[in-house]
Amino acid sequence: MGDVTRTPTNLTQGSQTRGGIGESTLRPDGTLKATGEFAYSSDLWHEDMLWGHTLRSPYAHAEIRSIDISEALQQAGVYAVLTYEDLPTEVKNYGLEIQDTPVLAHGRVRHHGEPVALVAADHPETARRAAAKIKVEYAELPVVTDEASATAPDAPLLHPGRDDHHSGHVTHPNIVHRQPIVRGDAEAARTRADVIVSGEYEVGMQDQAFLGPESGLAVPAEDGGVDLYIATQWLHSDLRQIAPVLGLPEEKVRMTLSGVGGAFGGREDLSMQIHACLLALRTGKPVKMVYNRFESFFGHVHRHPAKLWYEHGATRDGKLTHMKCRIVLDGGAYASASPAVVGNASSLSVGPYVIDDVEIEAIALYTNNPPCGAMRGFGAVQACFAYEAQMDRLAAELDLDPVEFRQLNAMSQGTVMPTGQPVDSPAPVAELLRRVKAMPLPPQKQWESAGESADVRALPGGLSNTTHGEGVVRGVGYAVGIKNVGFSEGFDDYSTARVRLEVVNGEPVATVHTAMAEVGQGGVTVHAQIARTELGVTQVTINPADTQVGSAGSTSASRQTYVTGGAVKNSCEAVREKVLEIGRRKFSTYHPAWATAELLLEGGKVVTDGGEVLADLVDVLEDAAIDLELEWRHRPTEPFDLHTGQGQGHVQYSFAAHRAVVEVDTELGLVKVIELACAQDVGKALNPLSVVGQIQGGTTQGLGLAVMEEIVVDPKTSRVRNPSFTDYLIPTILDTPTIPVDVLELADDHAPYGLRGIGEAPTLSSTPAVVAAIRQATGLALARVPVRPEHITGT
């Protein structure tokens, strides 16, 4: 893991309780997932259930002339076939922020794979065969593929007549959202620059590539409602979108989280939730839907591909003078999270550097490409690739060490962001760079072994045995990034936690109930640790997440440990005070310390702050049960000004730095990443083992974007060309390098326990670090990711 620097954090209640905050408590689902015994949502079963299937459009843009379902309905085993005309209410669209996504296509389709019809049958293959018998007459339309075709005077309007809260400030209806940021005078500052570099950069469309495809089970209820068991990231957001389409009050759509096989933003939007419920309510039977991997590529949003133009200036002594940039994000056919991605891309486009004079513009487009939305580090990932490439180019122009150049311009606590917001918590950018540079480098030519043989697994090309070391060159690259934590721009970001404390079989037991989606990040483990710390108990039960408790928001934006962890802490503190109130009433008459001392719960006992044991917690509670459900909010944010971009838009920032060591076969263009060292400030490591796992996971996703992962979309038809893990490559264990992690803990005084959201930051800087290392090895500019062999060989 590398060195771990820890700063003191005020942990008073239950600090001696085993399994509390700061310990590497093992996850309860870890062994089950490692052995394949964990129950995912695709494992759900109901005795008399039907199977649902979705018919999807083979075209990216087409008019729907007619739909004939008669032959599909005649197939034995088919219970229902639904089209747009069968939707039960006037609400026929949904969406995270802008309700522009049809439940089923009507009139025309806007992207390859858009849902057109639904089938419910007694067997999944029967449903698929029936769907193939649905006859849809399409008339293809011209496709919108990029900014030029989206904003041309004669461009087809993908959402004619749109009227949403972003439509009034964009220059063309095919622009989802635009956010400028202007601070200082970039043009005037430009005259002070001794060196100016500009560049155009491109980031490909990345898939979340989660383990478990979309799946769920909808069960019709006797009260006319429906129970939905689903893998998702945000139960209450799903509920808000589902209920109006079904024509049901929210209390009749009961949702329970089922086993989630990863998410990374791809489950923030709806996939089959409404479809399964519609089929269940139509047939009166439980309906299960499970996407195969091919369908999953069409069933969720992806990372926005981006084109970025940057200009930086610097003085001869290495101080940055100004920055200008323009970022164009391809949002695809529907809005999804595009407005928030634009906000992040623009407000974080400067990176973790001090630049007083900036001129920034970011936009997201409507096109006929696949819809894009949330993916780990959204907006910030694309910007980081570009601004870190610029830092390397400036350092080279100035003949300065690239790490020292970054440190010279690194932000720190008190730095004012381009939005005018001061950074009011530790921002140890220079220190993270120092730490990651100081890590020992891996030995040269690791593939060499005894005799003349070579361990080809350590070489570019791996087991393909393309080289034994000839033509292989090493490169080292650095990068650092900044990511916001939590929902921003005035969003009411809160969470709810219900905590119950009672005596069960003679032992105090705490029960924690939240709607937090456990998607693999380990939140359920942390919630138990918080309850043990705050209530001083050993036994903690975590109830399944559902909509019978208040919203926990989305498991995204690195926010859950901060916000839902904060809610659990808040509720535990309130429960603790109730316990102590009961104790004071019971015992203060004959034990004066109860009336005057600072009392703690520790190890199942009530103790004074001096360690004197006053009573067993069991004796205080007796038959009483304390049950409280409370909301918790972090400090408020505000929207960015639509003209200047100024505003207190973010809650917290996180920082990570990487050093990549690569070896490149320059003749074949093959890359082997040997090591990706990371240094990251986490504020407080609530569970150090999980923290390192999160950092290593995010680092690996950044590696994938750097050298292999891209959804390839045909530029003429906007059809997806590689919707499978055969053709869409993700890192395997053979591609994943050594990832040493140096964890720095500088507490944020505004956050629970001083913690800092960590999951996304390492995804930012790992990608540009890898590409910087490839550039050093090859001498090539490499302005696009992923880097392909032909980019290196020129063939």
Side-chain angles (χ1 to χ4, degrees):
M1 185 171 75
D3 295 333
V4 179
T5 302
R6 299 190 181 280
T7 53
T9 306
N10 292 324
L11 294 178
T12 53
Q13 298 295 334
S15 58
Q16 302 303 310
T17 303
R18 184 177 178 84
I21 291 303
E23 295 185 34
S24 290
T25 305
L26 296 180
R27 292 171 48 164
D29 56 347
T31 299
L32 294 173
K33 288 179 175 176
T35 58
E37 298 174 272
F38 184 80
Y40 292 100
S41 58
S42 55
D43 297 314
L44 291 165
W45 194 266
H46 201 287
E47 187 174 311
D48 58 344
M49 72 184 185
L50 302 176
W51 294 79
H53 184 71
T54 309
L55 177 69
R56 298 179 179 275
S57 168
Y59 301 107
H61 199 199
E63 178 187 349
I64 299 176
R65 296 282 179 83
S66 64
I67 303 177
D68 182 357
I69 63 173
S70 57
E71 191 175 343
L73 280 170
Q74 293 170 11
Q75 180 160 316
V78 171
Y79 281 71
V81 180
L82 304 181
T83 67
Y84 176 90
E85 302 300 332
D86 298 299
L87 298 180
T89 73
E90 293 302 312
V91 180
K92 302 180 189 297
N93 285 9
Y94 65 90
L96 283 174
E97 183 181 335
I98 300 172
Q99 286 69 53
D100 63 355
T101 308
V103 174
L104 292 169
H106 174 62
R108 62 169 159 164
V109 294
R110 294 176 176 85
H111 70 91
H112 182 201
E114 181 161 352
V116 175
L118 307 172
V119 177
D122 59 7
H123 190 278
E125 290 305 321
T126 301
R128 290 189 182 94
R129 287 196 297 271
K133 294 181 179 180
I134 299 173
K135 295 182 173 63
V136 184
E137 182 184 357
Y138 295 99
E140 282 196 80
L141 298 170
V143 291
V144 174
T145 61
D146 55 17
E147 185 179 14
S149 58
T151 59
D154 59 346
L157 300 185
L158 297 188
H159 297 273
R162 62 175 285 213
D163 182 19
D164 56 70
H165 56 287
H166 294 295
S167 58
H169 68 268
V170 294
T171 57
H172 192 283
N174 284 341
I175 297 176
V176 184
H177 178 45
R178 174 181 180 269
Q179 181 62 66
I181 297 178
V182 179
R183 186 164 182 266
D185 189 338
E187 197 58 39
R190 193 175 193 270
T191 63
R192 299 195 301 270
D194 296 312
V195 172
I196 294 175
V197 300
S198 63
E200 295 183 7
Y201 304 94
E202 188 172 354
V203 176
M205 185 186 296
Q206 187 181 19
D207 187 66
Q208 293 84 355
F210 38 65
L211 174 69
E214 293 81 351
S215 52
L217 175 68
V219 182
E222 292 182 357
D223 66 354
V226 64
D227 294 286
L228 179 62
Y229 303 88
I230 186 68
T232 182
Q233 286 181 247
W234 193 352
L235 286 164
H236 284 78
S237 175
D238 288 6
L239 175 62
R240 173 179 55 81
Q241 297 171 79
I242 294 169
V245 175
L246 302 180
L248 294 172
E250 289 187 0
E251 59 268 21
K252 285 195 174 184
V253 181
R254 294 164 291 268
M255 300 180 64
T256 302
L257 186 73
S258 296
V260 183
F264 313 114
R267 299 187 200 271
E268 257 198 355
D269 296 77
L270 298 182
S271 56
M272 39 64 61
Q273 285 94 321
I274 296 177
H275 297 165
C277 290
L278 286 169
L279 291 171
L281 292 171
R282 171 61 70 93
T283 62
K285 287 179 170 291
V287 174
K288 177 177 179 177
M289 297 189 77
V290 181
Y291 291 174
N292 58 28
R293 186 60 63 182
F294 173 86
E295 191 172 13
S296 180
F297 270 90
F298 300 103
H300 64 260
V301 298
H302 313 286
R303 186 184 298 287
H304 288 71
K307 293 184 178 180
L308 311 95
W309 175 84
Y310 267 77
E311 177 186 284
H312 284 86
T315 60
R316 185 61 58 190
D317 60 357
K319 294 295 290 185
L320 292 168
T321 57
H322 74 285
M323 185 275 275
K324 294 183 178 183
C325 78
R326 187 167 190 272
I327 300 171
V328 179
L329 301 156
D330 183 350
Y334 299 108
S336 182
S338 285
V341 179
V342 168
N344 275 11
S346 59
S347 61
L348 302 174
S349 61
V350 169
Y353 304 108
V354 178
I355 310 179
D356 294 328
D357 298 279
V358 300
E359 188 177 304
I360 299 161
E361 180 188 34
I363 65 171
L365 303 171
Y366 280 123
T367 70
N368 292 119
N369 295 325
C372 292
M375 185 176 172
R376 199 173 195 171
F378 69 41
V381 163
Q382 293 91 328
C384 187
F385 173 65
Y387 64 66
E388 285 302 272
Q390 288 283 102
M391 293 302 104
D392 282 336
R393 290 187 60 194
L394 277 168
E397 286 285 334
L398 295 166
D399 197 25
L400 294 174
D401 177 87
V403 172
E404 293 175 1
F405 174 69
R406 286 172 168 86
Q407 290 174 315
L408 180 64
N409 292 283
M411 68 161 50
S412 58
Q413 186 166 351
T415 293
V416 177
M417 296 291 289
T419 58
Q421 181 175 16
V423 178
D424 60 357
S425 60
V429 178
E431 173 64 9
L432 293 174
L433 286 162
R434 185 194 68 78
R435 284 169 173 258
V436 80
K437 186 177 183 181
M439 289 185 186
L441 284 164
Q444 295 272 0
K445 299 183 178 180
Q446 292 186 73
W447 64 82
E448 290 187 345
S449 56
E452 298 298 322
S453 62
D455 184 352
V456 295
R457 294 172 298 178
L459 282 160
L463 294 173
S464 60
N465 200 19
T466 55
T467 180
H468 281 215
E470 57 276 15
V472 174
V473 181
R474 169 168 285 201
V476 179
Y478 294 88
V480 63
I482 178 174
K483 176 67 178 68
N484 63 309
V485 174
F487 291 157
S488 304
E489 299 187 59
F491 187 91
D492 185 15
D493 193 6
Y494 71 94
S495 187
T496 314
R498 183 176 185 179
V499 175
R500 180 181 178 88
L501 185 63
E502 61 189 325
V503 176
V504 179
N505 298 325
E507 185 175 2
V509 176
T511 302
V512 177
H513 187 191
T514 77
M516 180 208 71
E518 171 59 68
V519 301
Q521 82 278 17
V524 293
T525 312
V526 169
H527 291 177
Q529 291 178 268
I530 292 172
R532 293 190 192 103
T533 297
E534 298 301 328
L535 297 176
V537 300
T538 301
Q539 297 299 318
V540 179
T541 299
I542 305 294
N543 279 354
D546 57 32
T547 51
Q548 305 309 299
V549 67
S551 177
S554 175
T555 300
S556 61
S558 303
R559 63 177 291 282
Q560 280 294 5
T561 302
Y562 190 129
V563 183
T564 304
V568 173
K569 182 177 186 288
N570 186 44
S571 293
C572 284
E573 288 171 343
V575 166
R576 185 179 71 227
E577 290 307 309
K578 289 288 186 183
V579 171
L580 297 178
E581 284 179 20
I582 294 171
R584 285 189 175 94
R585 288 198 301 268
K586 281 186 176 183
F587 302 122
S588 60
T589 55
Y590 60 86
H591 203 316
W594 276 97
T596 59
E598 178 79 22
L599 302 180
L600 314 176
L601 301 184
E602 195 169 279
K605 300 181 185 299
V606 179
V607 303
T608 67
D609 56 359
E612 179 186 359
V613 177
L614 299 183
D616 285 335
L617 185 54
V618 170
D619 295 331
V620 176
L621 287 172
E622 293 181 335
D623 295 328
I626 301 171
D627 197 327
L628 295 175
E629 179 178 326
L630 299 174
E631 291 181 354
W632 185 85
R633 284 170 168 80
H634 56 62
R635 56 185 176 171
T637 61
E638 62 186 21
F640 296 127
D641 184 274
L642 293 176
H643 302 286
T644 66
Q646 301 303 289
Q648 308 294 301
H650 296 308
V651 178
Q652 187 191 59
Y653 300 97
S654 60
F655 305 90
H658 278 89
R659 182 190 67 199
V661 180
V662 306
E663 286 170 349
V664 183
D665 184 332
T666 55
E667 295 175 358
L668 296 178
L670 301 176
V671 176
K672 176 71 175 179
V673 182
I674 302 300
E675 182 187 85
L676 256 175
C678 181
Q680 182 166 343
D681 175 27
V682 304
K684 171 66 183 177
L686 272 59
N687 187 315
L689 184 62
S690 291
V691 163
V692 172
Q694 283 283 296
I695 293 171
Q696 291 176 331
T699 296
T700 304
Q701 281 188 310
L703 159 66
L705 178 60
V707 293
M708 57 182 66
E709 294 189 50
E710 182 177 13
I711 294 177
V712 179
V713 179
D714 189 299
K716 294 182 179 179
T717 65
S718 286
R719 296 185 195 181
V720 178
R721 296 171 57 184
N722 61 332
S724 76
F725 283 168
T726 300
D727 300 308
Y728 180 92
L729 303 180
I730 58 175
T732 69
I733 192 64
L734 292 176
D735 303 300
T736 304
T738 302
I739 307 176
V741 177
D742 188 345
V743 175
L744 181 62
E745 294 184 274
L746 299 178
D748 178 355
D749 293 337
H750 305 93
Y753 303 114
L755 69 84
R756 196 184 296 275
I758 62 166
E760 295 174 289
T763 314
L764 274 64
S765 47
S766 52
T767 298
V770 169
V771 179
I774 300 172
R775 290 193 195 103
Q776 193 200 53
T778 62
L780 300 172
L782 301 176
R784 186 189 193 280
V785 287
V787 176
R788 299 176 181 148
E790 59 267 29
H791 298 155
I792 296 172
T793 62
T795 58

